[in-house]
Amino acid sequence: MAKISLLSFLLCNIFLLVAQQTTAQPPSFLFQFCLNDKGNYTLNSTYQANLNHLLTTLPTSQNDNGYGFYNVSYGKGSDQVYAVGLCRGDATPNVCRSCLNDSMHVLTDICPNQKEAVGWYDNCMLRYSNSSTLRYSNRSMLGTPVTIPLNYLWNPENVSSSNVQEYFDDLRTLLDGLKNEAASGGSLRKYATGQTKAPDFLTIYALVQCTPDLPQQQCINCLDYVYSRIPNCCFGKVGGRVVGPTCSVRYEKYLFYGSPYDPRPPSQKAPTPAPTNNTINNITEGQKSTDKSRNIIIAVVATVSGVVLIIFFLVCLRLRKSKKNVQAIKTYEPVDEIESAESLLYDFETINVATDQFSEDNKLGQGGFGAVYQGRLANGQDIAVKRLCRGSGQGDLEFKNEVMLVAKLQHRNLVRLLGFSLESSERLLVYEFVQNASLDHFIFDPRNRVTLDWDRRYKIIGGVARGLLYLHEDSRLRIIHRDLKASNILLDEEMNPKIADFGMARLFVVDQTQGNTSRIVGTYGYMAPEYAMHGHFSVKSDVFSFGVLILEIVSGQKNNSFRQGEYVEDLLSYTWRIYREGNTSKMVDPLMRVGSASEVMRCIHIGLLCVQENIENRPTMNAIVPMLNSNSLSLPLPSEPAFFMRSNTGSHMSFGSDFNSRETTKSSNHPKNDCINEASITELFPR
């Protein structure tokens, strides 16, 4: 009965939400990217006039190649604008142009003043750029495969664990065939769909598409790269999609596409059988009675439907009023996401046995929101279990935050959520177990620090950078971690880093670039000054924390307790001082075996760029990753960083929760599974 009641309540909420939004609105973007590192245009400028003219005239028949591909440019010199529109192969002209019209309005609203932007709907893609900012071609946007940015979506339903490999082998065979079919489609359309049988009596339906300007081999290359990203986002899922500016792929266990649109006149299409004389007579004689019956049926159905909807609406209002106290996690997300979360549900007794009744011997550490235990499931899999504090309102919020957030994230440099348990007052989060605990147990320990030569430290810096880039740009969500620090970087058996602890993360809405809060969370020494003092946060807040982390990894000392002989100051202040003296090598950890001195100096330089006091001067992760990977890129000169020793921020201000610390707290006086919440969290917003 409880499940039926909850389902009724959720259906009612969905029904009411639909009823409240009956006014026509443009559909939401699946993804959008505002490439603001490519420059802005000024209001009422020639460029803006050219862009508006171009986008207004783009979705017209004279710009269409007949198969839903639009390629136009307008203007001259530095004010010339290029635009490309591509509709899905089964979209009719009306659907295609309507989609592009919506894209035009929404994308320019989401990306105001940006010279380069790209956005995707279900039925179309729109991309525009300026001739002086094109990254992939000197003269146009055509003929070159573009795989950045890539975006991912996946069906939350899992393939049966015993059939995962067979399922994806069948998928790969299907996609390889569709790739060749699409690539050979000619200059008008490169689009293919198909299906194949899969284990468990399933059918896999798939769709692939390239922009038709790509030559055959370039389309194949683009799709090969997109295919290679499927395991990163969607392995083990019954459906998924990877979309980029010039090619895309989608697969599902259900039919999600229609017949390809064919613009040829009927005379050029396959003829349909002509009706016989008997058929014509039957149609003529039965037409009047059919029309009369249809009218009666429509009237009856409309009347009954109206009465049922009114009754259902009233019942929903009553149920909604009586269910105000339903737990937030059950009302927050749509039905499919709740079902997705429930598919990760573990029985409490299973976890209790796995952790030996949460014994102190299995305790890995204690954080602000609870303790973390090592456990082993009956199948031999090692796990890490975060047991949230009982009786904590913040614990419920953090629980919702991590389950609904981390379950959607899949990247090799993020810790993977396996499931959760929700029973009585118990809130458990089950993660993959990471063998080497957290980075702080290596980098700040004189004995363990010796094992980290420069190659390993550089590998850790690069992995954390890629994980942050995924959170900020490449995932289907835009996430600000807000508590990036050494103790929240876990190291696997090969010393690959994994970002952990998303209890304080903030999920931005689609057009949001920054936010503010009265609840400051995070850890002193890692917080950006605009956040610590004013509550303003953005992706640049995480960039600041990343810069501090780089300097700590290079020096082997904490930012807020850096010691040089008998002189104590914060690490940022010291690094800036010796940088101006031209002697940054003095801050390098003397216990570290240095492999490439130029890489070390480059990382110090990048770290200083990240911790600049002026938020506008800090680079984005999208710029930092290439800086780390290429010695040929010239780096701008850093300006003065934020010095914590001279700021008004006290070290007692706030603290974060350590996810996998092995410094146990057995001497704590707090009762078992009770803890002091030393940090606050904020609300989670849907994107």
Side-chain angles (χ1 to χ4, degrees):
M1 289 298 292
K3 289 185 177 179
I4 294 175
S5 177
L6 175 59
L7 181 59
S8 301
F9 173 63
L10 291 170
L11 290 174
C12 287
N13 274 280
I14 294 170
F15 174 79
L16 291 173
L17 183 61
V18 172
Q20 291 167 2
Q21 301 191 14
T22 55
T23 57
Q25 294 180 352
S28 299
F29 267 112
L30 289 177
F31 312 102
Q32 55 78 23
F33 274 85
C34 309
L35 302 167
N36 50 20
D37 58 327
K38 295 304 169 186
N40 297 336
Y41 59 82
T42 56
L43 293 176
N44 302 318
S45 64
T46 302
Y47 184 87
Q48 184 181 25
N50 290 345
L51 176 62
N52 291 339
H53 174 83
L54 185 71
L55 294 181
T56 302
T57 58
L58 173 72
T60 55
S61 58
Q62 62 265 31
N63 293 325
D64 184 3
N65 75 341
Y67 290 83
F69 180 63
Y70 298 78
N71 165 47
V72 290
S73 64
Y74 187 76
K76 295 181 180 180
S78 61
D79 291 319
Q80 188 173 17
V81 189
Y82 294 87
V84 165
L86 177 67
C87 291
R88 212 168 75 175
D90 58 347
T92 63
N94 287 339
V95 170
C96 177
R97 290 167 193 162
S98 174
C99 183
L100 289 173
N101 268 316
D102 291 335
S103 302
M104 171 186 69
H105 296 296
V106 178
L107 191 56
T108 51
D109 287 342
I110 291 173
C111 304
N113 304 333
Q114 265 82 46
K115 287 188 175 182
E116 188 172 358
V118 57
W120 292 267
Y121 280 147
D122 247 336
N123 289 317
C124 69
M125 178 274 296
L126 175 65
R127 176 180 167 221
Y128 59 81
S129 185
N130 171 246
S131 58
S132 64
T133 64
L134 286 171
R135 297 180 291 176
Y136 308 104
S137 175
N138 291 329
R139 295 185 178 179
S140 75
M141 304 171 74
L142 301 180
T144 304
V146 179
T147 55
I148 297 175
L150 282 184
N151 294 280
Y152 312 88
L153 278 176
W154 56 88
N155 189 318
E157 183 180 344
N158 292 318
V159 180
S160 171
S161 59
S162 60
N163 293 318
V164 170
Q165 193 58 55
E166 185 179 353
Y167 187 93
F168 279 85
D169 287 344
D170 293 337
L171 173 64
R172 184 71 201 203
T173 301
L174 172 62
L175 292 182
D176 283 342
L178 295 180
K179 172 185 65 179
N180 295 324
E181 180 183 343
S184 61
S187 60
L188 294 176
R189 180 163 63 192
K190 287 182 166 60
Y191 171 83
T193 59
Q195 64 189 69
T196 189
K197 294 299 181 183
D200 294 331
F201 304 102
L202 295 177
T203 299
I204 306 175
Y205 300 88
L207 176 157
V208 302
Q209 187 169 19
C210 295
T211 54
D213 59 286
L214 293 184
Q216 181 172 351
Q217 188 56 50
Q218 297 283 37
C219 176
I220 290 174
N221 294 345
C222 186
L223 288 173
D224 277 337
Y225 182 79
V226 167
Y227 290 177
S228 72
R229 312 314 294 168
I230 290 176
N232 289 3
C233 75
C234 313
F235 188 76
K237 304 297 183 182
V238 297
R241 69 176 84 176
V242 183
V243 299
T246 55
C247 65
S248 61
V249 59
R250 182 182 179 186
Y251 68 93
E252 298 285 357
K253 70 169 186 176
Y254 58 85
L255 184 63
F256 61 90
Y257 52 80
S259 299
Y261 170 71
D262 190 344
R264 293 177 298 172
S267 59
Q268 297 181 20
K269 300 178 184 179
T272 55
T276 64
N277 288 335
N278 288 337
T279 302
I280 295 174
N281 290 336
N282 289 337
I283 293 174
T284 303
E285 293 172 0
Q287 187 67 47
K288 292 183 179 179
S289 61
T290 301
D291 290 343
K292 185 176 180 180
S293 300
R294 184 186 297 114
N295 291 336
I296 294 173
I297 292 172
I298 290 173
V300 172
V301 170
T303 303
V304 172
S305 298
V307 173
V308 170
L309 287 175
I310 291 172
I311 294 173
F312 188 61
F313 185 83
L314 294 174
V315 171
C316 286
L317 286 176
R318 185 64 179 268
L319 278 173
R320 196 178 197 187
K321 184 176 181 181
S322 64
K323 294 291 185 178
K324 284 183 178 180
N325 293 325
V326 173
Q327 290 179 344
I329 192 172
K330 294 182 180 179
T331 61
Y332 176 77
E333 298 287 348
V335 174
D336 60 339
E337 297 206 7
I338 293 172
E339 291 176 349
S340 173
E342 288 181 351
S343 69
L344 304 175
L345 187 63
Y346 280 78
D347 178 69
F348 174 80
E349 190 56 31
T350 299
I351 306 303
N352 196 35
V353 171
T355 58
D356 192 19
Q357 287 74 47
F358 299 96
S359 69
E360 288 295 308
D361 290 338
N362 284 332
K363 192 171 185 178
L364 299 174
Q366 179 78 43
F369 287 110
V372 181
Y373 298 83
Q374 182 178 351
R376 176 166 292 182
L377 298 175
N379 62 5
Q381 182 180 10
D382 290 323
I383 56 175
V385 181
K386 179 187 285 188
R387 190 183 196 186
L388 302 184
C389 305
R390 290 174 179 165
S392 166
Q394 290 178 334
D396 285 344
L397 288 174
E398 191 215 28
F399 185 80
K400 178 185 71 174
N401 207 16
E402 291 206 22
V403 169
M404 307 313 292
L405 181 63
V406 184
K408 301 171 186 174
L409 304 177
Q410 297 190 32
H411 191 275
R412 63 176 298 182
N413 296 119
L414 303 182
V415 68
R416 186 161 57 97
L417 177 71
L418 302 178
F420 70 100
S421 178
L422 177 64
E423 185 172 315
S424 186
S425 61
E426 293 286 356
R427 303 287 188 271
L428 307 178
L429 292 165
V430 183
Y431 288 90
E432 65 176 325
F433 178 73
V434 183
Q435 290 83 347
N436 282 319
S438 52
L439 175 61
D440 59 329
H441 292 100
F442 286 86
I443 203 68
F444 301 139
D445 186 315
R447 291 171 298 179
N448 293 335
R449 205 160 76 223
V450 178
T451 65
L452 290 182
D453 58 16
W454 172 245
D455 288 341
R456 284 184 172 176
R457 299 191 196 204
Y458 192 62
K459 177 181 178 181
I460 292 168
I461 291 172
V464 175
R466 289 189 295 273
L468 273 183
L469 176 61
Y470 174 81
L471 293 176
H472 291 179
E473 301 285 348
D474 293 340
S475 74
R476 69 187 183 109
L477 310 167
R478 180 174 298 146
I479 298 157
I480 314 300
H481 188 279
R482 295 205 295 168
D483 197 28
L484 186 72
K485 57 183 178 180
S487 61
N488 282 340
I489 306 299
L490 307 186
L491 302 173
D492 66 14
E493 58 185 352
E494 296 177 358
M495 302 301 283
N496 294 307
K498 293 179 180 288
I499 301 173
D501 205 336
F502 290 84
M504 303 180 201
R506 184 67 174 261
L507 174 60
F508 270 9
V509 293
V510 66
D511 58 348
Q512 191 177 2
T513 57
Q514 61 183 0
N516 61 77
T517 179
S518 58
R519 303 191 213 173
I520 308 300
V521 302
T523 304
Y524 172 70
Y526 291 89
M527 285 188 287
E530 73 275 7
Y531 179 49
M533 292 184 283
H534 306 295
H536 300 158
F537 60 93
S538 66
V539 291
K540 298 292 187 73
S541 310
D542 281 353
V543 168
F544 185 95
S545 303
F546 177 69
V548 174
L549 187 64
I550 289 179
L551 299 179
E552 288 184 335
I553 290 174
V554 172
S555 67
Q557 297 199 49
K558 295 182 180 180
N559 178 36
N560 57 358
S561 61
F562 181 81
R563 180 178 296 275
Q564 180 67 14
E566 295 300 315
Y567 185 70
V568 179
E569 61 181 318
D570 79 292
L571 179 58
L572 305 190
S573 171
Y574 177 75
T575 305
W576 177 246
R577 180 160 57 83
I578 63 173
Y579 171 82
R580 296 185 67 185
E581 296 170 358
N583 194 15
T584 48
S585 60
K586 290 174 61 177
M587 68 160 290
V588 177
D589 184 0
L591 300 180
M592 177 178 68
R593 297 195 307 276
V594 178
S596 171
S598 64
E599 281 182 354
V600 176
M601 295 302 110
R602 189 173 184 84
C603 283
I604 295 173
H605 194 145
I606 294 171
L608 285 172
L609 291 174
C610 293
V611 298
Q612 294 175 101
E613 188 157 21
N614 188 339
I615 185 174
E616 298 298 330
N617 293 337
R618 296 176 210 153
T620 62
M621 295 309 303
N622 204 26
I624 292 169
V625 171
M627 289 179 186
L628 289 169
N629 293 332
S630 174
N631 290 323
S632 62
L633 290 177
S634 59
L635 302 180
L637 294 176
S639 58
E640 188 177 38
F643 299 149
F644 276 88
M645 283 299 185
R646 73 175 190 200
S647 75
N648 295 324
T649 307
S651 61
H652 62 283
M653 182 174 179
S654 59
F655 299 88
S657 56
D658 295 334
F659 176 76
N660 229 17
S661 171
R662 286 189 180 272
E663 294 174 3
T664 59
T665 55
K666 297 180 182 180
S667 60
S668 171
N669 294 324
H670 302 300
K672 186 176 182 181
N673 202 24
D674 289 332
C675 56
I676 297 175
N677 286 314
E678 297 173 322
S680 300
I681 64 170
T682 57
E683 303 79 21
L684 185 68
F685 289 98
R687 180 173 182 178

